[in-house]
Amino acid sequence: MNGQGFCYARGDPVLQAQKVSKIYALGKEKVKALDEVDFLSTQGDFVVINGPSGSGKTTLLNLLALIDRPSQGEVLFEGKPTSKLSERDLAFLRRQRIGLVFQTFNLIPVLTAAENVEYPLLLLNLSRQEREQRVRSLLEEVGLDGLGRRRPDELSGGQRQRVAIARALVTQPRVVLADEPTANLDSTTGKQIMGLLQNLNGEHCVTFVVVTHDPAVPPYAQRVLDIRDGKIQGERYVADRPA
Amino acid sequence: MNLKLALRNVFRNRRRTLFSLLVIGVGVTLLSFVLGFVAEALRSTERSLALELGALQVGDARVLEGRASGLEALISPSDLDKVVGLVRTVEGSRISPQLNFAGLIGNEKGSTLLLARGVVPEDCMADYVCMLVAGRPLAEREAREVVLGERLAGKLNLRPGDTVNVAAGTVNGTLNASTVTVVGTLRLSNAQLEERFALVPLGFAQRLVRTTGVERVLIWIEDLAEAPQVRTQLEQRLKDAGLSFSVRTWQDLSPFFESIGTFWRAFSGLTSLAIFVLVFFSVLEVLTISFLERTREVATVRALGVPWSRVFGNFVLEGMAVGFLGGLAGVMGGIFLGLVFNALGLTFVPPGGTMPQPIRVAVGLQTLVVPFLLALLATAASSVYPGWKNARLNVAEALRAV
């Protein structure tokens, strides 16, 4: 793996959840958003966690992304437990090893598309030349060649999500976690975005974990987990993925 | 990128930013004006004191400290020669021996108290020329001439060319009197002193009080700030020469200047504090709203792995960018206001004063740097709490909320 044409060897465990539960306090009441969920993804996986609103899928994603800590259980990253890591260590893992894509794109409005993609690289001590090369290459890869100077409000929803995907990949992470990446897009653009994620997964062997309630998304995955009421209800492999 | 981000965020909400810049700019302008006024007032007081007292004085410690009258501890002519020789080694110095005495002045129409100063006309009269309102300065060291305070002359109905009698106690305790010619009148800044003040030639003063000595030697130097150093040098040289005289700076001799300085410094400090508080709270409110509006962005960058300390640093940088721009505008406003004010040429007569004094404000680095830095500090301080609060948010909760 080197430069922009990076590719990880498939098969090593990347993210693992062992009987994780998450309990929220709503006033005096306690709500169990996740109930002893087990999860495993290996390098190069494309996993979709599918479920309706309130099923706990975003909660699970936040735990896997090391943004939140489980009330019980353990999240392992690259085989190592994370519960005892400090906030600083978790932030380090997130910026070095994890890419995130949000439902509402979450781009920084005052930065251009290229600057948004470059932003996570600023903490990685890369040379300016290396940063620019990565940004240029990724913008081209996600189909935004020539649009780097535009600000988010000058881009369509699909283009913004492409910028967000480029931003997630620019640090060459082991895993990209996407929260409802098609929810704010029309169906055609949603398909394009999923196709893009599928291609990037194939090309770079980056693990993709996508949570969604959009029925158009699961067919792009290799594996689909159904989640309901904070529990994994079932797991299936997708035989015929779109080309 | 951080600075670029900070500057772009500053101009994200132009109306809000304009309000902040206006508050900071007006604050810095007003403060630089006040500091300029205070600096000029102190400088003007310094100048007038240095003219009156010299930068330094050499004499008997008891006389210089007001514990004895000048006639009780005089500098003899031989010692004076030695003192003058030593003082002349100080580069750029001008010296003038003086002999002060109190007495009576009068004519057939009346008499009044007199505080006279015997001076060497050719040494120092140039310093009094600008105060003359009628007649001419003293011309000869031995002449029987007097320049009177304008109010004193008015009280005795005297004009240049008139004669008047002067009486004073001698060093032996007897009384001596002489008739002198009024050659001029002068105006002092102190009205009370002007009612009793007169300048006479040193030789005449010595004859009147029957001495050949002088009370003190006044020394003027180019830079007043060097007075303490010169004092140390002179004290050492006097000691080496076996002379027991003391040296005092103009500040030692005018303790009230320290009080004036303290008053003005307190005034400047309070004004600075008021401006700091005004800028702090105004900008605090604006930045709090501005930062809290960006919860989603903060949660996003924190989720991407940016440490909270970096996010906090960016907020403070943004606050300081506002302070820098507002401060810069204020500095320009301060320069403009100062120049316009000085161009108006306003004057006022101070309480107890006689002459209109120009009201000016100093315009320069010394009056602009402090307000500018204060603006920078106030805005940085304003950004600390909202920046810290926002940077430390719970990422998962903040992402869920947006």
Side-chain angles (χ1 to χ4, degrees):
Chain A
M1 181 196 71
N2 192 16
Q4 208 43 56
F6 71 100
C7 186
Y8 294 105
R10 290 177 185 274
D12 293 336
V14 180
L15 270 178
Q16 192 174 0
Q18 293 176 336
K19 296 200 178 308
V20 293
S21 299
K22 183 70 184 177
I23 300 163
Y24 292 111
L26 287 177
K28 287 180 181 175
E29 207 175 322
K30 289 192 172 175
V31 177
K32 205 165 199 175
L34 280 181
D35 189 5
E36 296 194 349
V37 169
D38 288 313
F39 173 86
L40 173 67
S41 68
T42 57
Q43 193 63 58
D45 271 359
F46 196 124
V47 185
V48 164
I49 300 168
N50 186 41
S53 295
S55 58
K57 57 187 186 300
T58 297
T59 302
L60 178 58
L61 188 90
N62 284 344
L63 296 180
L64 295 174
L66 309 180
I67 289 171
D68 207 356
R69 292 178 189 267
S71 307
Q72 287 162 15
E74 180 73 77
V75 174
L76 293 91
F77 189 83
E78 294 176 331
K80 292 171 190 159
T82 59
S83 59
K84 291 193 174 148
L85 294 180
S86 65
E87 283 302 318
R88 181 180 285 268
D89 292 335
L90 292 177
F92 177 81
L93 277 179
R94 288 202 301 272
R95 68 176 173 264
Q96 296 273 353
R97 299 272 208 276
I98 298 171
L100 290 170
V101 176
F102 302 92
Q103 177 181 340
T104 49
F105 325 128
N106 293 20
L107 300 176
I108 300 173
V110 293
L111 298 182
T112 64
E115 288 166 346
N116 264 289
V117 178
E118 188 187 0
Y119 189 79
L121 296 178
L122 295 174
L123 291 168
L124 300 191
N125 294 326
L126 297 175
S127 69
R128 188 190 179 96
Q129 195 185 3
E130 167 77 4
R131 294 202 308 265
E132 284 175 357
Q133 189 191 332
R134 282 199 194 187
V135 170
R136 205 178 316 119
S137 169
L138 264 172
L139 282 176
E140 193 182 330
E141 205 170 344
V142 298
L144 292 177
D145 197 16
L147 299 181
R149 290 185 177 207
R150 291 202 188 172
R151 295 232 177 144
D153 59 2
E154 297 167 330
L155 298 170
S156 68
Q159 287 170 331
R160 287 184 209 181
Q161 197 58 297
R162 285 168 191 267
V163 174
I165 291 166
R167 179 178 68 183
L169 282 166
V170 77
T171 57
Q172 301 180 347
R174 302 297 298 259
V175 58
V176 170
L177 297 131
D179 186 8
E180 305 268 15
T182 60
N184 279 13
L185 303 173
D186 60 68
S187 60
T188 309
T189 311
K191 281 178 187 169
Q192 287 169 355
I193 291 295
M194 287 315 299
L196 176 64
L197 293 185
Q198 194 181 31
N199 288 341
L200 293 168
N201 170 249
E203 193 166 329
H204 300 297
C205 308
V206 172
T207 303
F208 278 82
V209 179
V210 178
V211 301
T212 186
H213 70 276
D214 181 353
V217 171
Y220 291 88
Q222 294 161 348
R223 192 155 54 100
V224 179
L225 299 173
D226 289 310
I227 188 167
R228 296 279 185 287
D229 303 325
K231 289 184 178 179
I232 302 289
Q233 301 288 340
E235 181 179 0
R236 57 197 156 93
Y237 288 84
V238 179
D240 298 318
R241 299 171 76 197
Chain B
M1 175 81 92
N2 287 325
L3 187 61
K4 195 191 286 182
L5 188 60
L7 283 172
R8 286 186 194 170
N9 277 326
V10 164
F11 290 105
R12 212 158 164 173
N13 187 320
R14 294 213 165 110
R15 190 184 298 177
R16 210 184 282 153
T17 300
L18 198 66
F19 171 76
S20 297
L21 294 179
L22 198 70
V23 169
I24 299 164
V26 168
V28 169
T29 299
L30 288 179
L31 187 57
S32 62
F33 184 82
V34 168
L35 294 185
F37 177 78
V38 168
E40 192 57 35
L42 282 174
R43 200 183 300 160
S44 150
T45 311
E46 256 181 42
R47 272 198 301 261
S48 99
L49 281 172
L51 182 70
E52 169 93 9
L53 302 170
L56 302 120
Q57 289 188 7
V58 179
D60 188 282
R62 290 169 298 159
V63 174
L64 296 181
E65 288 164 9
R67 290 185 281 118
S69 91
L71 301 185
E72 290 174 52
L74 294 167
I75 304 172
S76 69
S78 60
D79 283 349
L80 178 62
D81 288 342
K82 289 181 194 168
V83 170
V84 169
L86 289 173
V87 173
R88 289 214 190 280
T89 59
V90 177
E91 203 180 332
S93 63
R94 289 184 298 131
I95 55 177
S96 181
Q98 285 187 0
L99 176 62
N100 295 314
F101 64 89
L104 287 170
I105 185 168
N107 50 22
E108 64 281 3
K109 292 171 191 160
S111 63
T112 187
L113 282 173
L114 172 72
L115 293 172
R117 179 169 298 166
V119 296
V120 179
E122 61 270 27
D123 279 350
C124 67
M125 280 313 291
D127 293 325
Y128 292 95
V129 169
C130 61
M131 300 181 188
L132 284 174
V133 288
R136 61 167 173 81
L138 299 173
E140 292 172 38
R141 189 174 180 142
E142 301 295 330
R144 294 183 178 205
E145 296 178 344
V146 66
V147 172
L148 299 176
E150 193 182 26
R151 285 171 189 254
L152 176 58
K155 197 188 265 184
L156 297 172
N157 199 22
L158 293 169
R159 289 185 186 79
D162 294 345
T163 55
V164 66
N165 299 316
V166 173
T170 68
V171 291
N172 303 321
T174 58
L175 195 67
N176 194 11
S178 180
T179 302
V180 293
T181 306
V182 177
V183 295
T185 56
L186 55 75
R187 197 175 284 167
L188 299 176
S189 56
N190 185 326
Q192 218 175 351
L193 182 61
E194 197 189 282
E195 281 181 7
R196 296 174 182 179
F197 188 76
L199 283 174
V200 295
L202 180 63
F204 168 75
Q206 287 173 324
R207 282 203 313 279
L208 189 69
V209 300
R210 298 198 194 287
T211 181
T212 51
V214 298
E215 179 188 308
R216 63 186 77 203
V217 177
L218 274 66
I219 305 164
W220 287 274
I221 54 174
E222 297 290 328
D223 185 1
L224 271 184
E226 286 178 6
Q229 286 168 264
V230 175
R231 174 188 168 166
T232 311
Q233 285 172 20
L234 274 180
E235 277 177 337
Q236 188 57 48
R237 285 176 197 173
L238 287 168
K239 196 177 167 189
D240 293 345
L243 296 168
S244 60
F245 299 119
S246 291
V247 186
R248 295 286 184 272
T249 65
W250 64 277
Q251 280 172 306
D252 301 330
L253 296 163
S254 52
F256 81 94
F257 178 78
E258 194 50 42
S259 313
I260 293 175
T262 305
F263 168 77
W264 281 121
R265 275 190 290 277
F267 179 70
S268 304
L270 283 175
T271 311
S272 302
L273 184 68
I275 300 284
F276 180 89
V277 169
L278 173 79
V279 170
F280 175 83
F281 282 107
S282 306
V283 177
L284 175 70
E285 193 175 344
V286 171
L287 289 182
T288 302
I289 296 167
S290 170
F291 291 176
L292 290 178
E293 277 178 357
R294 274 182 266 152
T295 302
R296 178 210 294 252
E297 276 169 57
V298 174
T300 302
V301 298
R302 291 281 318 278
L304 294 177
V306 177
W308 77 265
S309 54
R310 177 119 176 182
V311 177
F312 172 69
N314 284 350
F315 279 128
V316 174
L317 188 66
E318 194 176 321
M320 288 180 78
V322 175
F324 180 84
L325 295 173
L328 213 58
V331 162
M332 296 210 258
I335 292 172
F336 177 75
L337 187 63
L339 293 178
V340 168
F341 187 83
N342 287 342
L344 292 175
L346 300 177
T347 58
F348 87 118
V349 179
T354 56
M355 288 179 285
Q357 302 288 323
I359 316 174
R360 292 181 61 80
V361 293
V363 179
L365 271 185
Q366 81 276 20
T367 60
L368 297 168
V369 168
V370 168
F372 179 78
L373 291 179
L374 202 73
L376 217 54
L377 186 70
T379 48
S382 306
S383 60
V384 167
Y385 176 69
W388 183 83
K389 198 166 185 254
N390 219 19
R392 298 284 289 175
L393 52 71
N394 182 306
V395 180
E397 273 180 26
L399 282 173
R400 228 186 345 261
V402 293

